[in-house]
Amino acid sequence: MYTGTVVFDLLLPGDSQSLKEKRSYVRPIVAALRKLEVSAAEVGALDRHGRTEIGAAVIAADARHVREVLDSCERLVAGRPEVELLSVRRRLHGAHDDGDEDSGDTA
């Protein structure tokens, strides 16, 4: 089993000076990400006007599939003309990561 996460640091347009205006940019991006069958939410810069961090997560049996989904998420966000993508942080976790233990259950 593999999990992948991605966090997008976004600069919002200058007119997003209230939380209501900020949500008007964040909600459509989160909704579009969810159509890619990932969990998505605003995860950072919650109290900052003009900036946001949106995260997405996926779980799959195949690491290649996780990477493909994260690639699709990145293309989607990078293609949004109303925001500027400042940075992307990705992580892939698999069954052989340090600290993972096999429970030994054979039931």
Side-chain angles (χ1 to χ4, degrees):
M1 174 179 70
Y2 295 88
T3 59
T5 58
V6 62
V7 177
F8 304 102
D9 184 6
L10 302 173
L11 181 64
L12 302 174
D15 67 348
S16 60
Q17 296 304 309
S18 72
L19 291 177
K20 183 177 180 179
E21 291 164 339
K22 181 179 180 178
R23 277 194 305 270
S24 74
Y25 291 104
V26 171
R27 285 177 133 174
I29 295 170
V30 169
L33 286 168
R34 288 179 178 161
K35 289 180 182 178
L36 298 175
E37 298 184 359
V38 298
S39 295
E42 184 178 16
V43 296
L46 299 173
D47 57 348
R48 294 183 64 192
H49 302 298
R51 286 286 287 277
T52 190
E53 290 185 353
I54 296 176
V58 62
I59 186 168
D62 180 21
R64 183 177 53 84
H65 180 69
V66 171
R67 285 187 197 97
E68 289 171 356
V69 172
L70 294 180
D71 288 345
S72 295
C73 291
E74 189 169 342
R75 280 191 302 274
L76 184 144
V77 174
R80 300 296 290 220
E82 71 274 21
V83 297
E84 181 180 343
L85 181 58
L86 299 176
S87 69
V88 179
R89 296 184 310 274
R90 291 171 63 147
R91 297 194 80 182
L92 178 68
H93 303 278
H96 302 293
D97 287 344
D98 292 337
D100 287 347
E101 297 180 16
D102 187 353
S103 67
D105 293 334
T106 58

